[in-house]
Amino acid sequence: KAGVTQTPRYLIKTRGQQVTLSCSPISGHRSVSWYQQTPGQGLQFLFEYFSETQRNKGNFPGRFSGRQFSNSRSEMNVSTLELGDSALYLCASSLASFSGNTIYFGEGSWLTVV
Amino acid sequence: GDSVTQMEGPVTLSEEAFLTINCTYTATGYPSLFWYVQYPGEGLQLLLKATKADDKGSNKGFEATYRKETTSFHLEKGSVQVSDSAVYFCALTQGGSEKLVFGKGTKLTVNP
């Protein structure tokens, strides 16, 4: 059974550009969430989606957006990139959206903004 | 809001030593508790979890018990190996959400 797949794994962007990251959850999983990991701030929650609906959103500016498709695949977009957006972006999936559920993570997309 | 506090590292041990990584939480309700591990250059892997008070999660020799009275979920292993070298994160979820609230992580290095 394939795990959570994130693409691209590595990318370099210039300040002011935008970026789209993609996540394919484990087959059958309907819940997808995104996290940003940086050395200074640690792991911070971005969004949570279930059946194409955003259920929860973290404390990030509006430049960060996401969506989920009918096949549960998800994308996140960051517009007008800033140097501080350089981070590892992690996607996670699970069968359903409730506390205590087992949540599986992908290997992440490493974004460098120069 | 909900929060997780874990001992800051780095922690350096010799092979076969006993490991404890402390984790305490603050939450308004009855959270589920998790330990995740991150190896260099990789994503997070679930190590173990507990969903109610007094539950003990265990996996690969690691254990943690959900202590509601002390709001703690300390990670322990009786005999660490070099391959256990990684960063360990304590986390919680609560309510009808899967939003994970993480601690800052503890880097463990095990020397042969």
Side-chain angles (χ1 to χ4, degrees), chain A residues 60-72:
Chain A
F60 279 82
R63 301 184 296 108
F64 291 80
S65 62
R67 58 179 176 168
Q68 186 181 31
F69 302 96
S70 58
N71 60 0
S72 294

Side-chain angles (χ1 to χ4, degrees), chain B residues 56-73:
Chain B
K56 177 185 281 189
S58 61
N59 185 26
K60 299 180 181 179
F62 291 90
E63 292 184 340
T65 302
Y66 188 162
R67 301 286 188 201
K68 190 172 185 303
E69 63 276 13
T70 54
T71 62
S72 65
F73 193 54

Side-chain angles (χ1 to χ4, degrees), chain B residues 24-91:
Chain B
T24 57
Y25 68 89
T26 301
T28 52
Y30 299 93
S32 295
L33 302 173
F34 305 81
W35 276 101
Y36 279 87
V37 58
Q38 186 174 37
Y39 297 100
E42 298 185 9
L44 298 170
Q45 296 178 26
L46 178 65
L47 186 56
L48 52 85
K49 71 176 187 180
T51 57
K52 61 183 187 297
D54 299 325
D55 268 2
K56 177 185 281 189
S58 61
N59 185 26
K60 299 180 181 179
F62 291 90
E63 292 184 340
T65 302
Y66 188 162
R67 301 286 188 201
K68 190 172 185 303
E69 63 276 13
T70 54
T71 62
S72 65
F73 193 54
H74 305 321
L75 183 68
E76 296 182 336
K77 186 176 185 182
S79 176
V80 294
Q81 306 299 313
V82 172
S83 56
D84 294 327
S85 297
V87 180
Y88 292 81
F89 292 93
C90 185

Side-chain angles (χ1 to χ4, degrees), chain A residues 9-10 31-33 35 37 40-41 43 45 48 55-56 88 90 93-108 110, chain B residues 30-34 36 38 40-46 49-51 87 89 92-105:
Chain A
R9 288 294 318 280
Y10 305 92
S31 179
V32 173
S33 50
Y35 294 81
Q37 185 177 22
Q41 299 299 316
L43 282 153
F45 170 79
E48 175 190 351
R55 287 175 49 98
N56 222 331
L88 175 64
L90 291 164
S93 79
S94 67
L95 276 171
S97 185
F98 61 86
S99 178
N101 208 10
T102 297
I103 303 167
Y104 299 89
F105 281 81
E107 295 201 338
W110 289 91
Chain B
Y30 299 93
S32 295
L33 302 173
F34 305 81
Y36 279 87
Q38 186 174 37
E42 298 185 9
L44 298 170
Q45 296 178 26
L46 178 65
K49 71 176 187 180
T51 57
V87 180
F89 292 93
L92 66 81
T93 60
Q94 172 139 249
S97 171
E98 288 194 334
K99 171 187 172 182
L100 280 158
V101 176
F102 286 94
K104 291 193 177 298

